[in-house]
Amino acid sequence: MGKVYERIEGRLRSFIEAQPVFFVASAPLSADGHVNLSPKGRAGTLAVLDEQTVAYLDFGGSHAETLAHLRENGRITLMWCAFTGPPKIVRVHGQGEAVFRDDPRWNELIVHFADADGPGLRAIVLVRAGLISDTCGFAVPFMDYREERTLHADNFGRKTDEEFRAYCETKPYNGTSIDGLPALPLPVPPRPT
């Protein structure tokens, strides 16, 4: 039986923090725009900042759909599934905001991610919960977590920050989304010191 929560605390917070993968969904306002759904992983890249706020690190890649949707309308949903233990699915529906490298809040937020801060980091996504709920995960299969993939960190770890910034400019869906919305501000600002 599903339940709605007022806050991210206690067992709910522990559940969220224990999951090795989560999913992010967003969409543009346009009825014919593309809905985006992305898996996120990498240990330590998600932090529960308080009872209503979750944040995660957004790393470089070939697209920036979530960033574009957040810039346009802020709507976002995060979802976690229990692949081990009791069946459970948790969703946080809310308003999201991308904090880019040149935002004055960057340095105060990045400390929440300690060792997960790494090469290719382009934004910190803040999500303020509007609706927090769980449902049964009866149909979610049991799966075993084996290990982190290091390909992304290894790839961007071979690039200087200037090379990463140049890479972002070469990808057609970094500066604008597939629907033509502004996404990652280009040129990407240098990493704050």
Side-chain angles (χ1 to χ4, degrees):
M1 196 58 114
K3 183 176 176 183
V4 173
Y5 299 86
E6 290 186 23
R7 292 176 279 291
I8 301 169
E9 62 184 0
R11 290 188 305 191
L12 183 64
R13 181 177 181 149
S14 296
F15 173 80
I16 288 171
E17 292 175 336
Q19 303 314 306
V21 66
F22 64 100
F23 302 88
V24 176
S26 63
L29 293 175
S30 170
D32 62 350
H34 293 82
V35 174
N36 188 61
L37 177 62
S38 297
K40 302 291 181 185
R42 289 182 69 171
T45 60
L46 177 109
V48 178
L49 302 184
D50 61 41
E51 295 176 339
Q52 299 297 136
T53 312
V54 176
Y56 70 88
L57 301 181
D58 178 78
F59 290 94
S62 57
H63 285 239
E65 300 306 307
T66 302
L67 299 179
H69 298 156
L70 294 179
R71 290 182 74 184
E72 184 198 39
N73 61 63
R75 297 179 304 165
I76 190 167
T77 299
L78 306 182
M79 184 182 79
W80 298 264
C81 299
F83 295 111
T84 61
K88 180 184 248 147
I89 298 169
V90 171
R91 290 179 182 86
V92 171
H93 304 265
Q95 285 296 121
E97 173 189 8
V99 175
F100 297 109
R101 294 168 155 204
D102 57 351
D103 190 299
R105 298 170 293 170
W106 180 274
N107 287 333
E108 73 185 51
L109 290 170
I110 199 65
V111 299
H112 294 279
F113 301 97
D115 297 334
D117 177 11
L121 179 57
R122 61 188 184 184
I124 301 167
V125 175
L126 290 174
V127 179
R128 288 172 189 83
L131 174 65
I132 306 161
S133 64
D134 70 9
T135 56
C136 77
F138 291 173
V140 176
F142 284 107
M143 298 174 71
D144 294 323
Y145 172 78
R146 191 169 54 191
E147 63 188 65
E148 293 283 312
R149 290 185 195 260
T150 63
L151 296 172
H152 188 275
D154 293 345
N155 177 52
F156 286 109
R158 291 189 291 271
K159 296 181 186 324
T160 65
D161 191 55
E162 189 161 307
E163 289 170 329
F164 168 69
R165 294 169 62 219
Y167 162 88
C168 290
E169 292 194 52
T170 67
K171 297 300 177 185
Y173 299 119
N174 268 225
T176 58
S177 73
I178 56 179
D179 296 316
L181 298 171
L184 184 64
L186 297 175
V188 173
R191 283 289 302 250
T193 54

